Amino acid sequence: MKSVKHVGGPNRARRRKGYWSSKSDAELLALDFYSEDPSKLPRLLEMEPQTDESPEVEFSYDTTQTGTGMVMCVHCKKSAPNHNRGFVMQFQNGDRILIGKDCGRKLYGESFSHAERDHREAAERGSLLRKRLGVLGAKLRLVELLETVEGNPCWLAYGELRRDFNNAMPDLAHELADAVRSRDGALYANTLIHDVEAEAAYENRTGRKAPHMKTVSVVHSVLAGRSFFKMGEASPDRLVPDYVHRAKAALWTLEETDKSNHDFRLFFTALNLVISNLQSEAERIDVLPVAFGMENGKRISEWAAANRLPSFHAELARWYIGNRDGVTTVRSEARGWVSSEIHLPSAWPLAPHAELREIAAILSK
């Protein structure tokens, strides 16, 4: 590797300090930072000029992405194009040279690294500024969409059903939550099976055959719609208003212009996380028809019977704990009598997926 030199030659230290960092946000918004085909740029020199000036990184290029083919690095001793990735360096008079990214770092060391970093940070800021303008331009629509999401009745319907279920069937709710937490929704039941080892031992000892049974716990079925039956998580109706509030507040702070690249990155990361959280809450709504479907109800009913739990019944319109005659049971609590029955909606609420997809699409531009 050659000794560290400044871009433009071994003794060239007169670099325009902070060239890209001196650009205003308005200037950065108006500039391009990438060249699709650097070999077609005007005033491109085949040899490095004899000058004390250190050129600046004007563009970066990656022809593996653009498909325009390799280009010739001004420092490589080859007669054919030999670089896919590198930088267009421009002198103050407008002349340009091409330097492959590895050549620049190897030949010019820290000086080149500073120029490259200056350009990269400016390019990132230009991208962040354009993204900011796009979001601000759609701010009113985003607020409208967020308010529509917050006002969707699905959140309240989910919360009410969850509270009703936990209050009406606390023992069953606890058992199902335990199955979700510790067994990924697997519902176990005890069953009697032949104890083959005990039978063989008895026959060896006595010379006679006799059945020996033992109780084992086996998977009876697997619970569907498992996310609904988890405990310890707040319901969507309690989470969604806070998520929406945070998203709207973030949009208003985006009006502030004195933000660094780091500030912008944190902002967009946080905003995207909020939208991701809203999408996760919408997915919880999607499980309701499965969790309270007749197939899942039958599965739970058979499992409860196998474990000699209180008699559980599932119907299209209701779930309940009942006696042998199918009559809903009640239990006494400190505040009065509580029915072991929940009523299911005639039509399940739909989550606002379309609105959330539109929000995500706006933020991804």
Side-chain angles (χ1 to χ4, degrees), residues 73 75-76 83 99-109 112:
C73 171
H75 288 290
C76 287
H83 272 287
I99 297 179
K101 65 179 184 63
D102 293 331
C103 286
R105 294 167 186 168
K106 290 177 182 178
L107 291 170
Y108 304 115
F112 187 88

Side-chain angles (χ1 to χ4, degrees), residues 21-48:
S21 59
S22 68
K23 299 291 186 182
S24 68
D25 284 351
E27 289 176 301
L28 294 178
L29 279 168
L31 292 171
D32 291 325
F33 297 89
Y34 308 98
S35 174
E36 292 192 0
D37 190 355
S39 64
K40 298 293 176 55
L41 291 171
R43 303 191 64 172
L44 196 61
L45 305 179
E46 295 183 1
M47 298 181 62
E48 187 180 20

